[in-house]
Amino acid sequence: MEQKIDFQRDKFKSNKEYVWHNKICTGYIEFDIKERQDIDWQKYRADKSLKLSIKDRYIIKYTAYAFPDIFCGQFDCRLEAAKNIKHMHRENFNKLKG
């Protein structure tokens, strides 16, 4: 049975969210938003009727960290980053079990 994943924004850092599994904070996610470099701006300046969606204009990457500050990787999806934090804890627990 998959447990619910909850997210809580950091009060002091706007691009940071804490990841909670079963009422336990397991790590955090930081996200970066960057503008795509391959946008043809001349085309959009020439034709004002063209619209560029947010998904087409920006790239969002989510970097996951399991407590205590274990880098888990960078992902395109917030949920995948959270699942990887859980997976990292499970791997570390299994190593301790032997």
Side-chain angles (χ1 to χ4, degrees), residues 38-53 56-57:
D38 59 349
I39 298 173
D40 183 9
W41 288 112
Q42 294 297 339
K43 178 176 78 173
Y44 290 99
R45 286 186 192 107
D47 186 357
K48 298 294 183 188
S49 66
L50 292 176
K51 300 293 180 195
L52 187 62
S53 71
D56 291 335
R57 183 172 180 176

Side-chain angles (χ1 to χ4, degrees), residues 43-78:
K43 178 176 78 173
Y44 290 99
R45 286 186 192 107
D47 186 357
K48 298 294 183 188
S49 66
L50 292 176
K51 300 293 180 195
L52 187 62
S53 71
I54 292 174
K55 287 184 179 182
D56 291 335
R57 183 172 180 176
Y58 297 104
I59 299 171
I60 302 173
K61 292 289 185 180
Y62 299 91
T63 307
Y65 297 92
F67 284 136
D69 287 331
I70 301 169
F71 176 73
C72 298
Q74 195 172 47
F75 304 91
D76 295 327
C77 172
R78 179 174 84 155

